Amino acid sequence: MRKLILGLAISLDGYIEGTKGEYDWCFTDQDYGLKVFFDRIDAMFIGRKSYEVMQQHENSSDAAIPGMPVLTEYVFSKTLTSVKAGAVLIANDAVAEAQRIKSEQGKDIWLFGGASLSDAMMKAGLVDELWLSVHPILLGDGKPLFRGHSNRISLNLLESKTYETGLVSLRYKVINV
C-alpha cells in the first residue's frame, strides 16, 4: 500500500501560515530534501484553499514549488465544481476516497494541505509519515498544523537533519494504535 506523507513547513511554535495566510517566512534558498522527497511520490492530496493558492502561483511567472514533478493532484473540496485538466476532484467521502487511492498501485502520496484536510486524514488514521520542515521562527499566531486531536498519536523518528540556516527537517512514522 502507498504511504500518505504529510509534508509541510512549520514554524517552531507550530504554525503552517501566519494570521493573514502568509508563508513568506519559509526558506527557499536551497533544496532542503525536496528532490529526494519528490522521487518518492507521484500524487498529491490537496484541499481547496491550498489548491487555489497553488493555481495562483502556477498562473503567475513564479513556479509554485521549484523542481516539483508532475503529480496526479487529488483536490478535496465540497465547494469546487471543477479543477484543472489532469487533476481529480474529490467532492464526497474524503476518507473513503483517500483509502481507495492509497490502495492503488503507485508511489507514495504527498498530503500537502490544508489544515482541515490534514486533520481529517490524521483523525482517520490514514497518515503514515510526517515530514516537517521546522523553520527557526516564532510566528506567535496563525494557522496551527495540529488542532483538537482527542487522542494521542505516537511517532517514531525516522530521520532528522539540521541545516546551516537553522531549519530542522524531521521525518516521523505515525504509529496508529
Side-chain angles (χ1 to χ4, degrees):
M1 181 173 286
R2 302 161 84 177
K3 291 181 184 173
L4 183 58
I5 304 163
L6 174 56
L8 294 173
I10 186 168
S11 67
L12 187 59
D13 53 352
Y15 297 103
I16 57 174
E17 60 185 50
T19 57
K20 297 176 184 163
E22 69 274 15
Y23 51 91
D24 58 339
W25 49 272
C26 294
F27 294 153
T28 58
D29 61 316
Q30 58 183 290
D31 175 73
Y32 293 108
L34 281 172
K35 179 173 180 351
V36 171
F37 178 69
F38 288 153
D39 288 343
R40 289 184 63 188
I41 63 172
D42 64 1
M44 170 193 285
F45 287 179
I46 188 168
R48 179 192 55 82
K49 291 177 192 172
S50 297
Y51 172 75
E52 289 174 343
V53 168
M54 292 283 285
Q55 288 308 291
Q56 289 174 355
H57 282 287
E58 285 182 16
N59 294 332
S60 73
S61 60
D62 300 328
I65 301 172
M68 188 166 90
V70 175
L71 303 171
T72 302
E73 292 180 43
Y74 295 93
V75 183
F76 291 76
S77 173
K78 293 181 180 181
T79 58
L80 290 176
T81 56
S82 65
V83 291
K84 69 180 183 180
V88 179
L89 179 61
I90 307 291
N92 297 309
D93 205 348
V95 170
E97 285 297 303
Q99 288 172 323
R100 181 187 62 76
I101 295 163
K102 279 184 69 174
S103 70
E104 295 175 347
Q105 292 292 316
K107 293 182 176 183
D108 293 336
I109 304 164
W110 183 12
L111 175 52
F112 180 75
S116 296
L117 180 60
S118 297
D119 279 347
M121 296 295 123
M122 287 291 292
K123 286 178 182 169
L126 295 178
V127 177
D128 301 290
E129 286 185 19
L130 302 177
W131 180 42
L132 304 177
S133 296
V134 183
H135 287 66
I137 188 169
L138 300 172
L139 294 179
D141 199 5
K143 184 177 286 184
L145 174 56
F146 300 111
R147 306 173 296 179
H149 287 278
S150 59
N151 58 328
R152 291 182 183 183
I153 298 172
S154 296
L155 306 172
N156 182 28
L157 183 65
L158 298 172
E159 178 181 38
S160 65
K161 183 170 184 178
T162 304
Y163 293 87
E164 289 180 2
T165 58
L167 183 141
V168 179
S169 174
L170 301 168
R171 212 174 107 232
Y172 291 96
K173 177 182 180 182
V174 177
I175 302 168
N176 292 313
V177 289

